[in-house]
Amino acid sequence: MEIVIQPTAEAATKIAARLVAGLIRERPAAVLGLATGSTPLLLYRELIAMKLDWSKLTTFNLDEYVGISPQHPQSYRSFMWENLFQHVNVAVKHVNIPDGLANDIPGSCGRYEQKIKGAGGIDLQVLGIGTDGHIGFNEPTSSLSSRTRIKTLTPQTIKDNAHFFGSEKDVPHHVLTMGIGTILEARHCLLLAFGGKKARAIAEAVEGPITSMNPASALQLHPKVTVCLDEAAAAELKLKDYYRWVFDHKPDWQK
Ligand code: F6R
């Protein structure tokens, strides 16, 4: 795992954006895994400003709420259109988001997995982290080898996401999410976290034991993970001075 600690979310996002942009320039037909929520908003803004060519890219989103229509303002489809897709030249037919209104949920989740495989797998997966350590919507105690499926949000995540919906009672309880096993198959995972509310989850994910109680800790098993943090999200890391030193003294070939 590479841990990048920057003074602000903006600075950490710039590094993450360079990484995503590097892939898009190098592999115009790459497969990107995308996240929603507050965390990647800065990243999407930065990528839009870079005026990259998205025309050959394929995208797969991590998750979607069950039971709300794609047109609902808080559906993750609406989120992606509003915050990224309408601002870039992505091909609509290459955009993939789990179908929260599917009649046959297991079938639709299985097809989502097949589509990822069919596209050649995900080159780079963007991830945020929940205050309870979830990635995608793999809540604590999710199987570390899980695949795309339906999950029930924890009361904590419902509380955390209430600001998007205006009130807790309007947050759907069920979601479709790529599994941890699905995420671990991406060739590169890029985890972003900003703010003191994420500090505990990040410390447990990076330095704690691998445990389904903090699903993001499964990323310790992945050979290529970049974690971009601001100071506040890095606050509880025991080895933060070491991570800073490593980043500042990278050999030229690794920069
Ligand atoms: C959303 C997702 C979630 C969020 C997490 C953090 O697609 O995968 O894991 O990344 O809930 O949400 P924010 O960024 O709103 O704090």
Side-chain angles (χ1 to χ4, degrees):
M1 250 188 214
E2 180 177 29
I3 315 297
V4 180
I5 305 170
Q6 294 290 298
T8 61
E10 286 75 13
T13 295
K14 277 209 182 333
I15 290 175
R18 278 214 299 271
L19 221 145
V20 180
L23 172 70
I24 296 178
R25 289 189 183 113
E26 220 167 273
R27 293 200 54 193
V31 180
L32 278 184
L34 298 172
T36 57
S38 318
T39 308
L41 283 173
L42 282 172
L43 174 68
Y44 296 156
R45 221 171 289 159
E46 202 56 46
L47 291 173
I48 292 163
M50 287 174 162
K51 304 213 177 303
L52 300 157
D53 181 10
W54 288 67
S55 62
K56 295 195 179 68
L57 292 174
T58 298
T59 67
F60 286 92
N61 264 79
L62 281 166
D63 39 23
E64 178 59 286
Y65 291 108
V66 168
I68 62 175
S69 86
Q71 288 76 34
H72 187 290
Q74 294 310 327
S75 77
Y76 282 165
R77 185 169 286 275
S78 298
F79 175 100
M80 289 309 297
W81 242 271
E82 188 179 327
N83 295 297
L84 179 63
F85 294 148
Q86 67 167 330
H87 307 288
V88 295
N89 64 336
V90 73
V92 176
K93 63 175 194 273
H94 293 158
V95 168
N96 299 280
I97 299 176
D99 178 4
L101 285 185
N103 290 324
D104 168 18
I105 285 183
S108 145
C109 291
R111 285 190 293 279
Y112 202 68
E113 289 278 335
Q114 284 311 316
K115 229 171 166 187
I116 295 173
K117 277 208 180 77
I122 292 173
D123 290 302
L124 177 66
Q125 176 66 58
V126 176
L127 298 165
I129 186 170
T131 55
D132 60 5
H134 69 234
I135 47 174
F137 272 133
N138 295 283
E139 295 285 32
T141 73
S142 288
S143 157
L144 300 187
S145 58
S146 49
R147 314 302 308 190
T148 303
R149 69 212 182 292
I150 190 165
K151 285 294 289 178
T152 308
L153 297 180
T154 59
Q156 181 61 53
T157 301
I158 290 176
K159 204 174 277 172
D160 289 343
N161 286 5
H163 66 103
F164 289 114
F165 286 84
S167 84
E168 265 179 54
K169 71 171 178 24
D170 292 324
V171 182
H173 285 210
H174 292 99
V175 289
L176 302 183
T177 179
M178 280 187 205
I180 299 175
T182 322
I183 293 169
L184 291 179
E185 282 173 9
R187 286 181 270 282
H188 186 174
C189 290
L190 172 60
L191 173 63
L192 309 175
F194 310 129
K197 265 173 51 185
K198 302 292 174 73
R200 170 61 53 85
I202 283 292
E204 285 173 357
V206 173
E207 295 177 338
I210 297 173
T211 165
S212 65
M213 285 304 284
N214 179 313
S217 66
L219 294 170
Q220 293 176 34
L221 294 167
H222 193 287
K224 193 169 182 191
V225 178
T226 307
V227 184
C228 292
L229 306 172
D230 65 359
E231 286 289 351
E236 293 189 34
L237 287 169
K238 290 192 188 76
L239 299 187
K240 56 177 180 260
D241 292 338
Y242 170 67
Y243 307 137
R244 276 201 196 94
W245 200 93
V246 170
F247 186 71
D248 292 341
H249 295 84
K250 274 189 170 189
D252 279 343
W253 62 266
Q254 219 185 24
K255 277 184 181 151

